[in-house]
Amino acid sequence: MTPFTYKNAQLFCEQSKLIDLANEYTTPLYVYSKNTILDRYNAYQKAFSIFDTSICYAIKANSNLAILNLLAEAGAGFDVVSQGEMQRVLTIAKNAKIVFSGVAKTEAEIEFALTNGVYCLNVESFPELKRIALVAERINHIAPIS
């Protein structure tokens, strides 16, 4: 079932008439279905409930703070690929489980991630592993990696 439906030739998202939203907020306008996002997140949770897992939303898919906050409140973790993405998550969820992926992480990004409680750094190469080890040693942290 789609959250976008026509009622009397008017397009709605859930209970909101899109023409009214466009008039109020102007266009272009992005409209998301809270119920659909939560339903999909909960479907992942249910599908993997027999395992010790964390569902982590990839920020590069959509970095809208309202969406991120909605997912954080539902218990989602986050997959980030830059310091900027991690900072974005930290603005809405200080204790979120954050997995830092992405190639060519800089020493500054690695240090930022380690000092801000990253759950895990995904290692993409041996040179990156060496950078992580050097930064972790320099700031006296144990780097959580995968």
Side-chain angles (χ1 to χ4, degrees):
M1 183 168 159
T2 177
F4 294 91
T5 57
Y6 282 94
K7 299 174 189 169
N8 300 320
Q10 295 290 317
L11 183 59
F12 283 75
C13 177
E14 296 179 8
Q15 303 306 312
S16 298
K17 191 186 305 185
L18 294 187
I19 191 68
D20 292 344
L21 295 176
N23 288 332
E24 183 176 349
Y25 299 105
T26 72
T27 61
L29 174 68
Y30 295 91
V31 178
Y32 302 95
S33 166
K34 175 182 178 179
N35 291 333
T36 299
I37 291 169
L38 291 175
D39 286 348
R40 302 284 162 80
Y41 173 75
N42 290 328
Y44 276 103
Q45 284 286 75
K46 183 178 178 184
F48 292 98
S49 64
I50 63 170
F51 303 105
D52 182 20
T53 60
S54 295
I55 307 299
C56 294
Y57 180 76
I59 301 301
K60 64 184 164 187
N62 187 331
S63 62
N64 179 296
L65 289 175
I67 302 295
L68 302 182
N69 191 53
L70 177 66
L71 289 165
E73 288 175 357
F78 298 93
D79 180 80
V80 303
V81 296
S82 70
Q83 180 175 330
E85 287 184 353
M86 185 167 175
Q87 287 171 314
R88 197 155 183 83
V89 170
L90 292 173
T91 64
I92 55 99
K94 293 283 186 213
N95 296 319
K97 187 177 283 188
I98 299 173
V99 176
F100 200 131
S101 302
V103 297
K105 293 174 206 64
T106 66
E107 287 188 18
E109 287 178 315
I110 293 165
E111 183 172 342
F112 179 84
L114 292 175
T115 57
N116 283 280
V118 71
Y119 178 74
C120 183
L121 291 161
N122 282 346
V123 179
E124 309 287 343
S125 67
F126 286 115
E128 183 178 80
L129 180 60
K130 290 178 185 176
R131 271 194 310 281
I132 292 169
L134 288 171
V135 171
E137 184 176 20
R138 184 178 74 234
I139 64 171
N140 198 29
H141 267 69
I142 296 174
I145 62 167
S146 67

